[in-house]
Structure formats: C-alpha cells, structure tokens
C-alpha cells in the first residue's frame, strides 16, 4: 500500500507541475484564461486549485492538488507547484 501511495503522490506532483505550466502559459498569452487551462490540465479527481497572478513582465501560476490516501488512518497529501512564464506582449 505504501508503494501505491508513493506512486500517487508522484503522479500528483507531476500533474500539479504540468498544470502550473499550462496555466502560466495560457495566462501569458490570453489574460483570464490561465485558471481554466490549469484546471483542465489536471485529472479531476485530484481537485485542482489553480491560482494565477499576472505581473508586468511575467505570469506566475500556482496549482494545488490533493492526493487521496489509500492507506487507512492517513490524511490526504496536498501538493503545490508553481511556474512562471514571460508575458507574450507585442509592445
């Protein structure tokens, strides 16, 4: 069971990182699109929570996912990953 749990946590880390990159990139290309892109890039059962913060020159996105526990009496694991992308401006 411990090996399965570690595998799920690893999967959650990978999903959160991919979602953060997708959210940051989408927001840098089209303001307002980042949160939806971040949520769409993650398996729904991980309950993704994207937070996108556009800046002047860069956009930063943080995605938090909750990995459920398969081991009785253990709490779910929360994983958070952040990505930053340059803004795509035509200035």
């Amino acid at each position: 069971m411990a090996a399965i749990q570690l595998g799920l946590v690893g999967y959650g880390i990978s999903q959160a990182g991919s979602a953060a990159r997708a959210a940051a990139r989408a927001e840098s290309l089209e303001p307002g699109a980042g949160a939806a892109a971040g949520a769409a890039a993650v398996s729904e059962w991980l309950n993704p929570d994207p937070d996108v913060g556009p800046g002047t020159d860069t956009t930063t996105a943080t995605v938090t996912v909750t990995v459920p526990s398969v081991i009785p009496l253990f709490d779910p694991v929360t994983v958070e990953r952040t990505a930053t992308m340059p803004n795509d401006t035509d200035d």
Side-chain angles (χ1 to χ4, degrees), residues 38-82:
V42 179
S43 296
E44 189 176 311
W45 60 271
L46 289 171
N47 300 320
D49 182 22
D51 180 31
V52 182
T56 305
D57 295 325
T58 61
T59 297
T60 301
T62 301
V63 176
T64 305
V65 299
T66 303
V67 179
S69 177
V70 295
I71 301 173
L73 304 176
F74 278 63
D75 292 332
V77 178
T78 302
V79 177
E80 180 179 285
R81 288 293 178 258
T82 301

